[in-house]
Amino acid sequence: MSVGVQRLRDDPETLRRGAADKGEDPSIVDRAIDLDERRRALVAEADALKAERNASSKRIGEAIRGGADPNGPEVADLKSASTAAGERIDAMDTELAAIEADLEDAMLRIPNPADPDVPVGGEEANVTVRTWGEPLPVDGRRPHWDLADELGLIDLARGAKVAGSGFPVYVGAGSALQRALISWFLDTHTAENGMTEIWPPAVVNADSARGTGQIPDKEDQMYVVTRDDLYLVPTAEVPVTNLHRDEIIEADDLPIRYAAYSPCFRREAGAAGRDTRGILRVHQFDKVEMVSFVRPEDSEAELEWLTERAELLLQRLGLAYRVLLMATREMGFVQARKYDLEVWAPGAERWLEVSSVSNFRDYQARRMAIRHRAEAGAKPELLHTLNGSGLALPRTMAAIIETHQQPDGSIAVPEPLRPYLGGREHIGPPGA
RNA sequence: GGAGGGGUGGCAGAGUGGACGAAUGCAGCGGUCUUGAAAACCGCCGUGGGGCAACCCACCGUGGGUUCGAAUCCCACCCCCUCCGCCA
């Protein structure tokens, strides 16, 4: 399940092209088609045998109730027919189970095709949809790793000692700034955007990890607690979207919108070098995530709305940013359409991704069996899920530090955060 | 961690080997009645899979087992509740 066997049968070409566009092997589609056909043939055969066995069992019951000796020859004959069918059924069920396991695995490896208007290609094909604010010139501006160290906001060395490289320690005003950002984000999402606040578990089980598509596709990116068979969450998307796994939601209750803070754990295997300076790429970071469950016809509008909710936060923080429509090979396995919000960091001299807003259409919903009734009494149908960061903390913090740095080495606190910092308008300068 | 109780349709809740895919109630849908609504009454009403269809198959927490036949008996695991222990 993921793209659904119905679509596999009806429109395999879109699935093949979708896989190829995302840089995946399209032959998985044909493997799935083959398994589906074999499965159907076997199911038909096994079901016929089961019907036969059910009928004989029923006859045995009737015979005994009708006065036949349960241990007599008449009943023994009936039993042997049923037993013989049972043996063949067992053999077929074993084969069927193997084929179904293979089919499920193949289906899980077929990516969600991108929407038709998504540009095909890699990074070079991304489209800048819009920009906001003036990217500050880089001259004289210092990178956040210098400033944060000098102001005592972030202690990377001790984080490395205590846990490892990529586990930053936030200190003093640095820690307070984290709290301020989280609180302000959540307050905005609840009071202004009407979302329900969620504080989710930081670990999930395998069913949940599979539901949102972390496994089998991105298993290497997650920290696994093997002793208890749990996964540290790479984003609140995983526990929050799984909140409604295996549920049928009444249409009147849609849309459901959540805002959730969680720590995020990512192994970032293979990542190293220039992009990892300071807190640009770390193993543990904090993020507020927005998650929506909507009627299928509403998901396109919801994607735009969520993107705007994230943009508004950046605007109020006074950070210049751009919105990118991500190309097929940049968007990952499960998304149908994705916008990235990149904020300008004048000290690090680059654009930093601080939010990723995605429409999964029915792909995650199918994996998780999240359905809704379009109207009372109607058949349950899959709904659409979406999510977007609002926002990820470390890079937002880096951009704040670099954008709002003052000539004296202090940092001006953006206006919306001041109430959360006891009215403070500046952090630093050192010795002040 | 230990002892006991329990997990059944959207919800509540019966069902201890064959007539049970499952009583009953509530909710929902359609209808009668009514100016309209309510009440009352009648009918329908789980999910998934296979098949053009008739129809068939599977599912009573999960996975095994016993049996001709399992919601029902046996085993393991998971989850919930109560009590005890431990503990931020």
Side-chain angles (χ1 to χ4, degrees), chain A residues 46-59 81-82 84-85 88-89:
Chain A
D47 279 0
L49 271 176
K50 284 176 185 173
E52 209 177 285
R53 178 177 63 180
N54 290 344
S56 349
S57 286
K58 192 165 274 180
R59 278 197 296 277
S82 185
R88 289 164 65 204
I89 288 168

Side-chain angles (χ1 to χ4, degrees), chain A residues 222-373:
Chain A
M222 283 195 294
Y223 288 98
V224 187
V225 184
T226 54
R227 184 173 176 138
D228 295 298
D229 213 9
L230 294 169
Y231 298 80
L232 270 58
V233 299
T235 158
E237 165 197 349
V238 181
V240 174
T241 312
N242 274 282
L243 248 27
H244 294 293
R245 173 152 51 85
D246 296 319
E247 291 185 10
I248 299 171
I249 295 164
E250 296 303 326
D252 288 350
D253 295 330
L254 296 177
I256 294 174
R257 290 167 171 152
Y258 294 124
Y261 159 75
S262 86
C264 304
F265 302 90
R266 299 186 184 181
R267 293 184 62 235
E268 303 291 359
R274 189 177 118 92
D275 288 341
T276 66
R277 284 298 297 272
I279 50 173
L280 294 184
R281 179 176 292 224
V282 289
H283 291 306
Q284 179 182 342
F285 63 96
D286 300 273
K287 179 162 62 64
V288 170
E289 185 77 5
M290 308 176 284
V291 178
S292 293
F293 302 80
V294 303
R295 294 183 184 82
E297 63 270 27
D298 293 336
S299 69
E300 291 183 17
E302 186 75 5
L303 180 70
E304 303 301 322
W305 185 79
L306 287 174
T307 306
E308 288 160 18
R309 307 283 63 79
E311 285 180 64
L312 218 49
L313 296 173
L314 292 174
Q315 291 173 13
R316 293 179 189 172
L317 288 171
L319 302 175
Y321 67 88
R322 63 184 187 185
V323 181
L324 302 180
L325 172 61
M326 303 305 282
T328 50
R329 286 213 305 279
E330 290 284 292
M331 66 192 306
F333 206 78
V334 296
Q335 294 90 353
R337 187 182 179 89
K338 176 171 94 160
Y339 291 119
D340 273 7
L341 269 53
E342 294 188 341
V343 70
W344 176 244
E349 299 181 30
R350 72 196 78 168
W351 295 92
L352 305 177
E353 179 193 336
V354 291
S355 178
S356 186
V357 191
S358 305
N359 184 1
F360 304 96
R361 298 193 175 269
D362 65 8
Y363 192 86
Q364 286 186 330
R366 184 174 291 103
R367 286 187 174 213
M368 285 180 275
I370 308 178
R371 294 168 295 172
H372 77 292
R373 292 186 204 279

Side-chain angles (χ1 to χ4, degrees), chain A residues 88-168:
Chain A
R88 289 164 65 204
I89 288 168
D90 284 347
M92 286 183 137
D93 276 350
T94 302
E95 191 184 347
L96 195 57
I99 287 175
E100 284 183 337
D102 287 350
L103 177 61
E104 188 185 344
D105 183 68
M107 293 301 287
L108 285 172
R109 290 174 192 283
I110 297 174
N112 197 10
D115 284 355
D117 64 324
V118 169
V120 176
E123 193 179 345
E124 75 293 339
N126 293 341
V127 174
T128 302
V129 178
R130 59 182 167 270
T131 59
W132 186 91
E134 273 306 308
L136 290 173
V138 297
D139 31 296
R141 306 220 153 238
R142 302 164 61 195
H144 69 276
W145 50 85
D146 282 353
L147 284 162
D149 186 53
E150 190 174 296
L151 295 171
L153 304 180
I154 302 171
D155 191 336
L156 296 174
R158 290 202 173 94
K161 175 171 70 180
V162 168
S165 167
F167 291 93

